[in-house]
Amino acid sequence: MTDKNMTSLTIRRPDDWHLHLRDGAMLQAVLPETARHFGRAIIMPNLVPPVVTAAQAVDYRERIMAALPGDMTFKPLMTLYLTEETDPDDVAAAHASGIATAVKLYPAGATTNSASGVRDFEKVRPVLERMADIGMPLCIHGEVTDGDIDIFDREAVFIDKVLRPLRKKVPDLRIIMEHVTTQDAVDYVRDTHKNLAATITTHHLIINRNHILVGGIKPHFYCLPVAKREGHRIALVQAAVSGDKRFFLGTDSAPHTDPLKLQACGCAGIFTAPNTMSCLAEVFNAAGALPKLEAFASLNGPRFYGLAPNEATITLTKGDPVAYPTHIDTPDGPVTVFDPGFDLHWSVTSN
Ligand code: DOR
Ligand code: ZN
């Protein structure tokens, strides 16, 4: 049987290495969508106000666990939002106590709720050096924010202007370049043999910039970093299906209500939590690479983070198209679920 003819696949339960759960009613509504299929997730700290201190991370983790339905098991892995005021001792203490798995670096102004992020990278160097000493990973939103850099070039420019110099100055820092969208990022990670990995989202494996702009603007395909040309998408698929241990899944599932997406200045973010595993099975199956899905979704991530893979498994089964809801309801309004533009034949069962 060739890979393309497979009809069933059992893999270790996957983890999501980049997830936005928000807070309050939205958290309550979206958390089950991830916990249904995923064992753990790296939780983004870009709340308002952001999760900066260990105490805030403890509180947020409690709110997440309180929102988890009683019949579900899920482990949130918390991150601290890096600011220019972050104290290296606080970060080290948060790591030692187990509350913070990683630190998140947003260049100031790069995306949703990133205003408290980093403007001057030299100012956070003491924190980064301490993290390198203690082996704590840094998750990076890799886009420059300069107004004169084209939005489609911001990731590639970040690699040259920020990431290369930073990695020279703090070579022992373990870095995850998050939600990579370009051939440039894939090449950079492939050419680097130490302390660097990248996450790839579900949607960037499926859409290119035409999906956003051709035939009318599609706000539900708008996210940051914005999807690039088709050639870049193909490079991402090749990286994801390659089995290369440096690439793993971080969905960047980022719920916003429809009123916030569908307005003159719509929010960036695509909500992929409900159907991510079915979408990925289609992508990997089409590439003749289904047996590599486990590495991408369930093995490479824990390996980079120094954790064991989940013991539990899920089974993906191919059959008639699976009907996922088009949106989920929240008290603040509906949240539209990512529409990949093709039928999803793979259903997911937790074992
Ligand atoms: O599209 C995005 N949405 N990209 C980000 O970096 C942030 C996220 C959000 O929080 O909505
Ligand atoms: Zn994100």
Side-chain angles (χ1 to χ4, degrees):
M1 190 160 57
T2 67
D3 296 340
K4 285 200 179 173
N5 295 330
M6 284 174 72
T7 53
S8 170
L9 176 72
T10 295
I11 61 172
R12 298 281 191 135
R13 194 170 179 80
D15 301 304
D16 185 348
W17 299 97
H18 181 130
L19 177 68
H20 297 270
L21 285 177
R22 315 300 189 203
D23 215 340
M26 180 65 91
L27 165 63
Q28 194 94 31
V30 300
L31 176 59
E33 302 300 325
T34 288
R36 193 169 293 130
H37 298 156
F38 291 86
R40 298 166 287 197
I42 284 277
I43 309 301
M44 286 299 119
N46 64 334
L47 305 181
V48 190
V51 180
V52 172
T53 64
Q56 287 169 321
V58 168
D59 288 350
Y60 187 29
R61 184 169 66 181
E62 271 171 20
R63 297 198 297 280
I64 294 170
M65 293 316 286
L68 187 68
D71 58 343
M72 288 186 170
T73 343
F74 174 73
K75 184 168 184 194
L77 304 172
M78 309 308 289
T79 58
L80 298 181
Y81 186 119
L82 182 62
T83 73
E84 293 181 358
E85 283 74 49
T86 297
D87 179 342
D89 289 340
D90 288 350
V91 168
H95 190 242
S97 75
I99 180 62
T101 299
V103 169
K104 172 70 188 245
L105 188 161
Y106 287 104
T111 186
T112 313
N113 303 334
S114 61
S116 328
V118 177
R119 286 186 170 74
D120 177 354
F121 291 89
E122 274 308 305
K123 290 206 172 129
V124 296
R125 179 124 153 232
V127 180
L128 303 184
E129 282 169 353
R130 177 66 76 82
M131 289 169 62
D133 286 347
I134 61 177
M136 185 181 195
L138 178 72
C139 300
I140 300 190
H141 182 115
E143 288 191 288
V144 292
T145 53
D146 322 34
D148 55 347
I149 306 291
D150 189 278
I151 190 166
F152 292 100
D153 298 333
R154 288 178 173 200
E155 182 174 288
V157 173
F158 185 88
I159 294 170
D160 285 336
K161 293 273 155 58
V162 182
L163 202 49
R164 283 182 198 278
L166 180 80
R167 294 194 61 256
K168 276 217 177 83
K169 288 175 190 160
V170 197
D172 293 332
L173 181 62
R174 296 174 63 68
I175 294 177
I176 299 104
M177 223 192 142
E178 302 194 281
H179 42 52
V180 292
T181 57
T182 56
Q183 170 94 60
D184 312 60
V186 167
D187 291 345
Y188 180 60
V189 173
R190 277 217 185 98
D191 291 346
T192 309
H193 294 290
K194 235 180 109 207
N195 296 337
L196 184 66
T199 58
I200 303 178
T201 75
T202 307
H203 48 278
H204 288 119
L205 293 172
I206 294 172
I207 60 165
N208 62 35
R209 64 195 201 175
N210 277 12
H211 290 87
I212 312 172
L213 296 169
V214 173
I217 192 157
K218 316 288 191 319
H220 292 303
F221 288 153
Y222 174 61
C223 66
L224 289 170
V226 70
K228 309 296 191 296
R229 290 174 182 277
E230 176 64 1
H232 293 292
R233 187 193 69 82
I234 291 170
L236 299 176
V237 172
Q238 284 168 351
V241 305
S242 69
D244 185 323
K245 297 181 174 56
R246 292 166 291 187
F247 296 100
F248 44 88
L249 175 64
T251 66
D252 199 8
S253 180
H256 293 279
T257 60
D258 286 354
L260 291 174
K261 292 284 296 172
L262 309 176
Q263 58 177 333
C265 184
C267 292
I270 301 182
F271 180 54
T272 52
N275 59 5
T276 271
M277 290 313 298
S278 295
C279 287
L280 290 175
E282 293 291 342
V283 170
F284 277 66
N285 194 26
L290 263 182
K292 295 284 169 59
L293 180 56
E294 184 177 43
F296 180 67
S298 316
L299 303 179
N300 296 350
R303 187 176 187 275
F304 189 81
Y305 276 89
L307 299 169
N310 294 311
E311 282 299 327
T313 59
I314 61 166
T315 297
L316 293 141
T317 310
K318 193 173 192 178
D320 292 335
V322 193
Y324 281 96
T326 56
H327 66 272
I328 61 162
D329 285 313
T330 79
D332 304 327
V335 176
T336 292
V337 176
F338 175 60
D339 175 3
F342 45 74
D343 283 342
L344 296 173
H345 298 93
W346 294 83
S347 59
V348 187
T349 353
S350 294
N351 301 312

